[in-house]
Amino acid sequence: MTPPTTPPPLPNALPRPADEFAQLERAWKRPTGWRSLTVVNNTSIGLLYIGTALLFFILAGVLGLMMRTQLAAPDSNLIGHTLYNQLFTMHGTVMMFLFAVPAVEAVAVLLLPNMLGARDLPFPRLSAYAYWAYAIGGLVFFCSIFVGLAPDGGWFMYPPLTSAQYSPAVNADLWLLGIGFIEISAIAGAIELAVGILRTRAPGMTLDKIPVFAWVMLVFCGMVIVAFPAVIVATTLLELERAFDMPFFITGRGGDPLLWQHLFWFFGHPEVYIIFLPAAGMVSMMIPAMTGTPLVGYRLVVLAVISTGFLSFGLWVHHMFATGIPQLSLSFASAASMAVSVPTAIQIFAWIATLAAAVRLRPIKTPMLYILGFFFVFVIGGLTGVMVAVIPFDLQAHDTYFVVAHLHYVLFGGMVFPLFAAFYYWTPFISKRPLSERLGRWGFWLMFVGFNVAFFPMHFTGLAGMPRRVYTYAESQGLGPLNLLSTVGAYLIAAGVLVFLIDLARNFRPTIDNNAGNVWRAGTLEWLPSGSYGLRSVPAVTSREPLWDQPGLAQQVDDGQHYLPNAPAGLRTTLVTSALEARPDYVLPLPGPAWSPLLAAVGTAGFFLLLTFKLLPLAAAFGVLAVVALWRWLWDADTGPDYPPVDIGGGLRLPMMCSGSASHASWAMVLLLIVCTSIFGSLMFSYLFLWTTNPQAWPDSGDLPSPVRPMLSAMMLLAAAALALAAGRMMTQNRQRALRGCVAGAALLLAAAPALDLVTHWQAGLRPQASAYTAATYAVAGLQAFFGGLAVVMAAFTVARSIAGRLRPTRRAALDATRAMLLYAVAQGLIALALLHAFTRLTG
Amino acid sequence: MAKLLLILIAGLPTAARAQPSGEDAARIADIGWVLYVGATAIFVGVAALIALSMFGPAPLRHRLSRPALIVGAGIVFPVVALTALLVYVMKPSPTAAREAAYAARIEVTGELWWWRVRYLDAQGGLLFETANEIRIPAGKPVQFLLKSGNVIHSFWIPELGGKLDMIPGRVNKMRALARTPGTFRGHCAEYCGAQHAQMRFDVQAVDAAAFDAWVQAQRQPARAAEPALRQGERLFIQACAQCHTVRGTAAGGMLGPDLTHVGSRPALAAGILPNNVGAMGGWIAGSQQIKPGNAMPSFDRWPGDDLRAVARYLESLK
């Protein structure tokens, strides 16, 4: 019998100094009035984010209702083909890009810091920027349907239909540029969430103890970082083809429509797991809380989530079973598509086991109802997914309403139901009152019955021969009765959503200081008392459900007895901890409200949208606004005096800043460079793919220009690398002048090398429009030139900071980021030169 | 409950109740039954487990609450079931040895929004061209060569088998075999623009003798017009010859469907209109109302007599 151990003393003793709490509240005070637009607190941004995503869900849902109304009867004249084709394109595009991914990202922004014991996300202005760019860009994009300019090529936008020849109007460009930059918003959010999950946790919260939702969001971030660049490259190439006649996808000139499909689906398949996994993570949080018992098989679930993330990258070819590509790749994709259901099955049975272990179950409250609905609908969707993974079966079901049924069962069942469960579950965290149980039940049953009535018949209509994306169908096909049934179901879903909105209007009263509290008696940290400052003090945790296993934790945290109960130097701060063991590393000062994220978002959105309409001077003006706002924003970052170390309690004195590879900023930079690698990788794939399908477009080695100039470019790149490395050493020695010279020199060389390469190609007579080979060559060289330009801007910024005295050995984030980008750009440039010159020579 | 099922089955579209006629479609239907039964069984099993885990007796719930459930039902069972499924599906079908001797080789090109059909001989030479209509001999394999010169389409005859895309720059080859004679509907199954919904076609499987007779008839040029139809023929050649071909006359346009034997087709305008004088006249006068955006203008300024004359002439081209 082990003698009872006395619990270790709490980090900070009572009573707390008189002014400490007031100082904390002052530092974290939210802006009011019209200055509210400058808010950066994650709870405010998170709430705005969720609200906007919900708005897009409703808007896209209305589009779906209109589609169903047109399809209720055969040969209906209610909605003509022009509008209908825009409706289904926008329904899919808005649901996938403007609702699903932002909604789960928004829930993470709202909840994760509190769940992890952090006060805010590590880059609050970045999440504000990501939100505003998404909101402004998304709303303008949606409004295109009111003026008949909405894209109509399907959410997947296959060329040649979406090439300039078959879609000459600006509608397709709106999709390409509008959605392209909303991806930037999603990637920014993903980088920030990943750094937050890895580096800003409560002390003692080892990776083995983080909430499952945090694990899931970590996998989500990794998937976004690798998958989204593929669609950015695809949209850029198609836009280049439309605007500048560079024939990437035009067969007669060496291009290949299948290139688009590979790039798009390499993004598109992980996209659906990017949408599903966070919802599964939410379910993994809600079931334990509502049943009063920890999740059974936590480690298996984490393993399953990680495996799903990796496996999902191997499945994209299953969208291309009917394209006629070789049987071997089809078989691999088929087997992999079946295999991915195994990790999902692991999660499902972990949830069932947890239900079986439940300590409290009845009465079944609304979140649990939605979770049961999720089980019913998602399992059916998963089973039809295995069916379409079987190639012969898919060759019948592909591009029919069977797939429409499948995708809605997995997406609506697998994401929307958990999301509504999450609304009912987490509302007490952010509202004075929880939502109504009675209205919750009504809403659930209407949505659940409506969903099945709407979508189950589609399995039959699909197999009976109703293709997708049709604005009408013939009476003689006999599809009328089932389509009518589907339409009735759609209206029932709408009624359910309406009931939910009524519930929101009546009961949702946003607050953070005065929330309804831990009504579910859950065990995780977001249920601690909190305010605009997050938690009063950062708890030391010893288990996965701290509120269950550490009695009195809530009171201790709120009294300020845990770590960092104050605002050192009057600043907003949070604790940065190590990635694996969550040992406190340093105290991170965080920025307060600012105009620059909003202005940068307006500038970015304006730039891309005006570019679509070819209003170039106005677009340039907005671009300048974005750059200026960004400059101002970064100018304020990593500044201030060298603060003395902070006593956070428990005998720990931590520095108030960090530079070098251990800093959260350099981790973010690494993730950004992975994004860049994925962009370059997708572009290299495109080049090599076009070479395999149309080798005749490639020149013979005898026709290539002399290798002297490419060698010169390579020399310039190597010199740039040497200068970049030297700049790092100059920084450590605080030799400002030498530092400026090295940075400027490296950047100029990085810009000159691709410039020389482009000139070389031009003087050799290559023109981008000539063939897919020349287009791909200019695309690769052009990407390098873009990075050269980026290097120059970053170098100018760094030099300016150096001149202004804002760069020193303890405040060197700007230099470190620039140096990392310079070195990456050198590596990318060398590989690009090898591809364009050495590879072509070897295979010519 | 039984009444509900009856209502449900009665509501099923005709094609779902029909027996699949094609060899591939039959194999897929067999696979389909395995999938439906398996999926239903698994769904019922999971639903039962959920119900038991929530409402079952305490000892059972205790057994279900262990990680062994996750490993057994979440890893072992799916791996075994999916491996069995893969083995079953990947088994090469009996007809895997594709014979070189096809009873017909038919090149189909997706247009906007209709089907250009060309029958080829064994060496790839052209036998004849038609549009929106395909006839094949029952009980014998045929080969489709699928092409497109514009956007991506997809060639699908549900009752015969799976679909295959028509992608510019590629020729996709598809084998089909109708076991018994019959009439089947075909659809475009890849979104191809404004009138994707109205891009259908008709397929008839007939016995070998009837097929040969049809091929011979199709290879003949159009009969000379009877005196009553000459006015219609004249108008047709004047107004329509730039886009359409009627072999045996001066009309040799290639932009639109070949009309040499249009009178004997099951339908008009790619499977969306019946084939009679009224529908033909209606199409000529109002093609932009029926299928807005298609390449044929509406000849809505023609006087009624001219329309009737051309329509009767075309209907006579059997």
Side-chain angles (χ1 to χ4, degrees):
Chain A
M1 165 102 168
T2 49
T5 47
T6 45
L10 295 170
N12 282 300
L14 289 176
R16 304 305 311 151
D19 194 44
E20 187 182 76
F21 183 62
Q23 183 201 43
L24 187 65
E25 281 194 308
R26 264 196 315 270
W28 286 91
K29 195 162 149 47
R30 275 156 224 262
T32 51
W34 57 288
R35 282 189 189 281
S36 312
L37 293 171
T38 61
V39 72
V40 295
N41 296 49
N42 74 290
T43 37
S44 305
I45 293 290
L47 212 52
L48 279 172
Y49 218 147
I50 293 176
T52 312
L54 191 59
L55 175 66
F56 282 120
F57 174 69
I58 294 164
L59 290 174
V62 168
L63 298 186
L65 266 184
M66 291 170 68
M67 287 160 61
R68 277 308 333 155
T69 312
Q70 159 66 10
L71 291 177
D75 297 314
S76 169
N77 285 319
L78 198 63
I79 295 177
H81 73 278
T82 323
L83 178 59
Y84 189 90
N85 293 344
Q86 293 185 4
L87 286 178
F88 81 71
T89 303
M90 290 299 274
H91 172 78
T93 305
V94 173
M95 282 293 191
M96 294 297 277
F97 291 106
L98 297 180
F99 160 64
V101 174
V104 297
E105 215 161 347
V107 172
V109 167
L110 177 70
L111 293 177
L112 268 181
N114 283 68
M115 228 185 241
L116 297 171
R119 289 231 164 86
D120 205 320
L121 289 168
F123 305 105
R125 286 177 299 186
L126 187 62
S127 34
Y129 168 78
Y131 166 70
W132 287 114
Y134 150 72
I136 299 169
L139 283 168
V140 172
F141 175 75
F142 187 83
C143 288
S144 65
I145 194 134
F146 297 124
V147 292
L149 284 179
D152 59 356
W155 89 280
F156 50 97
M157 294 287 285
Y158 279 2
L161 179 61
T162 51
S163 300
Q165 184 181 3
Y166 298 101
S167 291
V170 77
N171 310 38
D173 301 295
L174 203 50
W175 192 101
L176 292 171
L177 286 165
I179 294 301
F181 98 86
I182 284 168
E183 303 317 305
I184 296 177
S185 170
I187 291 177
I191 293 179
E192 175 167 32
L193 288 170
V195 175
I197 294 167
L198 288 171
R199 298 299 304 279
T200 62
R201 306 200 296 270
M205 189 188 275
T206 60
L207 275 183
D208 197 34
K209 297 193 185 64
I210 68 177
V212 176
F213 184 64
W215 267 115
V216 155
M217 288 312 295
L218 193 57
V219 173
F220 163 98
C221 295
M223 292 173 75
V224 166
I225 283 168
V226 176
F228 276 36
V231 80
I232 291 180
V233 168
T235 53
T236 310
L237 292 183
L238 187 54
E239 189 52 47
L240 285 174
E241 183 186 280
R242 292 175 58 87
F244 302 114
D245 197 30
M246 294 168 72
F248 298 103
F249 310 109
I250 301 177
T251 359
R253 293 154 69 187
D256 193 333
L258 285 187
L259 172 62
W260 170 274
Q261 295 193 25
H262 282 293
L263 285 173
F264 185 84
W265 291 117
F266 182 78
F267 146 80
H269 190 78
E271 155 91 338
V272 304
Y273 288 94
I274 284 170
I275 292 170
F276 164 66
L277 285 177
M282 290 180 220
V283 171
S284 290
M285 303 292 296
M286 292 188 275
I287 292 185
M290 307 206 72
T291 56
T293 183
L295 183 69
V296 176
Y298 172 97
R299 291 222 176 107
L300 281 168
V301 169
V302 170
L303 202 65
V305 167
I306 297 174
S307 330
T308 310
F310 276 100
L311 267 175
S312 68
F313 277 93
L315 312 185
W316 82 92
V317 172
H318 74 213
H319 297 270
M320 299 166 66
F321 279 158
T323 53
I325 60 183
Q327 181 68 31
L328 191 59
S329 20
L330 299 187
S331 305
F332 176 79
S334 175
S337 303
M338 292 189 215
V340 81
S341 59
V342 175
T344 311
I346 291 176
Q347 293 194 68
I348 291 178
F349 289 101
W351 295 324
I352 295 178
T354 313
L355 285 175
V359 162
R360 50 172 191 264
L361 202 54
R362 272 162 280 193
I364 295 183
K365 299 288 183 93
T366 306
M368 190 53 99
L369 270 182
Y370 274 106
I371 290 175
L372 291 173
F374 150 71
F375 280 135
F376 185 100
V377 174
F378 180 73
V379 169
I380 293 180
L383 290 167
T384 55
V386 172
M387 291 166 76
V388 290
V390 173
I391 297 176
F393 187 85
D394 186 65
L395 290 178
Q396 285 284 31
H398 171 68
D399 237 308
T400 70
Y401 264 76
F402 188 91
V403 179
V404 176
H406 161 69
L407 77 90
H408 284 90
Y409 267 82
V410 282
L411 286 176
F412 200 107
M415 186 260 173
V416 176
F417 275 112
L419 188 68
F420 275 82
F423 285 148
Y424 278 86
Y425 177 77
W426 271 297
T427 291
F429 167 76
I430 196 73
S431 161
K432 286 201 187 85
R433 293 203 291 275
L435 296 173
S436 152
E437 269 302 308
R438 197 177 60 91
L439 287 176
R441 279 172 206 292
W442 270 99
F444 166 73
W445 284 109
L446 281 168
M447 286 206 330
F448 179 76
V449 170
F451 177 83
N452 284 292
V453 169
F455 289 98
F456 200 76
M458 291 187 190
H459 294 108
F460 300 110
T461 49
L463 290 176
M466 184 167 176
R468 290 175 77 170
R469 298 151 188 155
V470 291
Y471 71 94
T472 189
Y473 52 92
E475 170 89 50
S476 55
Q477 288 175 269
L479 301 167
L482 286 181
N483 268 286
L484 184 59
L485 195 56
S486 288
T487 303
V488 169
Y491 276 93
L492 283 175
I493 299 175
V497 176
L498 191 61
V499 169
F500 169 75
L501 291 175
I502 293 172
D503 196 358
L504 267 189
R506 288 177 68 163
N507 294 304
F508 189 79
R509 300 289 175 264
T511 175
I512 186 66
D513 312 68
N514 193 13
N515 63 22
N518 193 357
V519 304
W520 312 110
R521 291 174 283 151
T524 41
L525 292 180
E526 76 271 23
W527 297 105
L528 287 169
S530 64
S532 59
Y533 42 79
L535 304 171
R536 169 72 205 275
S537 53
V538 179
V541 302
T542 51
S543 85
R544 288 178 194 147
E545 285 87 18
L547 267 63
W548 288 345
D549 299 330
Q550 293 172 240
L553 185 66
Q555 192 61 48
Q556 293 162 6
V557 164
D558 210 34
D559 288 340
Q561 292 192 280
H562 284 266
Y563 294 105
L564 201 62
N566 60 344
L571 297 172
R572 301 184 172 200
T573 54
T574 193
L575 213 53
V576 174
T577 54
S578 66
L580 296 176
E581 299 293 317
R583 273 174 295 101
D585 274 348
Y586 58 98
V587 172
L588 171 62
L590 293 171
W595 282 105
S596 48
L598 175 59
L599 291 172
V602 168
T604 317
F607 173 73
F608 280 97
L609 290 165
L610 290 164
L611 208 59
T612 313
F613 291 99
K614 301 194 175 29
L615 295 165
L616 295 178
L618 209 50
F622 274 85
V624 166
L625 172 64
V627 172
V628 166
L630 194 61
W631 185 287
R632 182 84 181 77
W633 162 357
L634 292 172
W635 194 254
D636 285 339
D638 196 36
T639 42
D642 286 357
Y643 297 106
V646 174
D647 181 355
I648 66 168
L652 293 171
R653 287 182 73 78
L654 297 179
M656 209 148 120
M657 57 211 152
C658 178
S659 51
S661 60
S663 76
H664 67 295
S666 71
W667 283 52
M669 196 61 201
V670 167
L671 293 173
L672 181 62
L673 292 180
I674 297 177
V675 172
C676 298
T677 310
S678 182
I679 292 178
F680 183 60
S682 301
L683 194 55
M684 276 217 297
F685 167 80
S686 306
Y687 183 97
L688 292 168
F689 181 84
L690 288 172
W691 173 76
T692 52
T693 57
N694 282 292
Q696 66 277 7
W698 258 248
D700 301 320
S701 42
D703 297 332
L704 289 169
S706 128
V708 168
R709 292 227 195 139
M711 299 274 215
L712 191 52
S713 289
M715 294 287 120
M716 286 198 252
L717 289 175
L718 289 169
L723 284 173
L725 290 169
R729 285 194 298 276
M730 301 298 112
M731 180 81 259
T732 318
Q733 296 163 19
N734 205 13
R735 290 166 55 185
Q736 296 281 337
R737 280 220 155 75
L739 167 91
R740 290 176 214 153
C742 288
V743 165
L748 289 169
L749 283 168
L750 256 171
L756 176 62
D757 201 36
L758 284 167
V759 164
T760 311
H761 294 302
W762 189 269
Q763 286 180 341
L766 260 59
R767 298 290 176 270
Q769 295 81 6
S771 72
Y773 159 68
T774 58
T777 302
Y778 274 94
V780 173
L783 180 69
Q784 190 59 25
F786 171 79
F787 273 85
L790 187 61
V792 167
V793 172
M794 287 177 87
F797 179 78
T798 311
V799 166
R801 276 184 81 107
S802 167
I803 294 173
R806 287 188 176 222
L807 200 63
R808 22 179 219 284
T810 48
R811 292 266 181 220
R812 48 180 293 174
L815 174 77
D816 288 336
T818 306
R819 187 168 139 264
M821 183 57 83
L822 289 169
L823 291 170
Y824 168 80
V826 166
Q828 181 185 278
L830 289 170
I831 298 175
L833 284 170
L835 182 68
L836 293 182
H837 300 279
F839 171 84
T840 327
R841 235 172 212 92
L842 289 170
T843 55
Chain B
M1 192 63 195
K3 246 202 290 196
L4 195 64
L5 270 171
L6 275 173
I7 295 172
L8 215 58
I9 292 177
L12 280 178
T14 342
R17 284 178 278 162
Q19 282 295 84
S21 181
E23 193 179 67
D24 281 337
R27 175 166 172 262
I28 293 171
D30 289 339
I31 294 176
W33 278 111
V34 170
L35 294 173
Y36 306 142
V37 169
T40 310
I42 293 175
F43 176 74
V44 168
V46 174
L49 270 175
I50 294 176
L52 287 172
S53 72
M54 291 178 72
F55 306 112
L60 179 60
R61 288 185 64 214
H62 184 71
R63 271 222 294 277
L64 289 174
S65 69
R66 295 198 314 247
L69 175 74
I70 308 174
V71 174
I75 303 179
V76 175
F77 175 73
V79 169
V80 168
L82 291 172
T83 311
L85 179 62
L86 255 181
V87 167
Y88 166 64
V89 168
M90 297 289 189
K91 229 175 29 194
S93 60
T95 52
R98 299 312 194 210
E99 321 84 302
Y102 290 107
R105 295 181 73 215
I106 309 166
E107 180 192 274
V108 186
T109 306
E111 303 283 350
L112 296 168
W113 289 273
W114 54 280
W115 310 87
R116 188 185 299 266
V117 177
R118 300 165 86 236
Y119 278 70
L120 308 177
D121 62 26
Q123 287 76 36
L126 178 66
L127 290 172
F128 66 90
E129 179 173 320
T130 178
N132 301 324
E133 177 196 23
I134 294 174
R135 266 185 230 207
I136 55 177
K140 300 218 183 114
V142 301
Q143 186 188 54
F144 290 106
L145 297 114
L146 304 171
K147 301 163 69 166
S148 167
N150 42 75
V151 301
I152 301 179
H153 301 271
S154 194
F155 183 77
W156 186 38
I157 311 166
E159 285 169 280
L160 283 191
K163 61 184 64 74
L164 199 49
D165 287 351
M166 304 157 112
I167 302 174
R170 289 176 137 69
V171 180
N172 275 339
K173 301 199 176 117
M174 185 171 119
R175 178 191 184 277
L177 195 158
R179 294 182 299 187
T180 53
T183 350
F184 320 113
R185 259 296 177 65
H187 302 266
C188 177
E190 181 62 60
Y191 178 61
C192 51
Q195 294 298 335
H196 165 65
Q198 310 272 39
M199 188 170 163
R200 308 182 201 131
F201 59 101
D202 301 285
V203 181
Q204 278 179 285
V206 295
D207 64 66
F211 175 73
D212 289 333
W214 180 80
V215 169
Q216 287 317 311
Q218 289 286 318
R219 292 184 72 183
Q220 303 307 313
R223 290 195 296 241
E226 292 166 11
L229 297 170
R230 291 226 181 98
Q231 165 73 339
E233 181 190 32
R234 202 175 46 75
L235 282 166
F236 171 81
I237 292 177
Q238 206 172 58
C240 317
Q242 294 132 310
C243 300
H244 291 283
T245 295
V246 174
R247 278 175 280 123
T249 71
M254 296 294 285
L255 290 172
D258 183 300
L259 298 177
T260 312
H261 298 285
V262 64
S264 58
R265 290 183 198 157
L268 293 180
I272 63 172
L273 293 173
N275 194 354
N276 55 55
V277 175
M280 178 69 84
W283 171 257
I284 298 171
S287 63
Q288 286 300 317
Q289 267 70 44
I290 299 169
K291 214 164 166 178
N294 90 87
M296 175 161 156
S298 291
F299 288 83
D300 50 2
R301 297 296 161 101
W302 278 8
D305 290 335
D306 287 357
L307 270 174
R308 266 191 293 277
V310 176
R312 276 206 291 268
Y313 165 67
L314 288 170
E315 287 298 316
S316 76
L317 298 173
K318 300 240 184 267

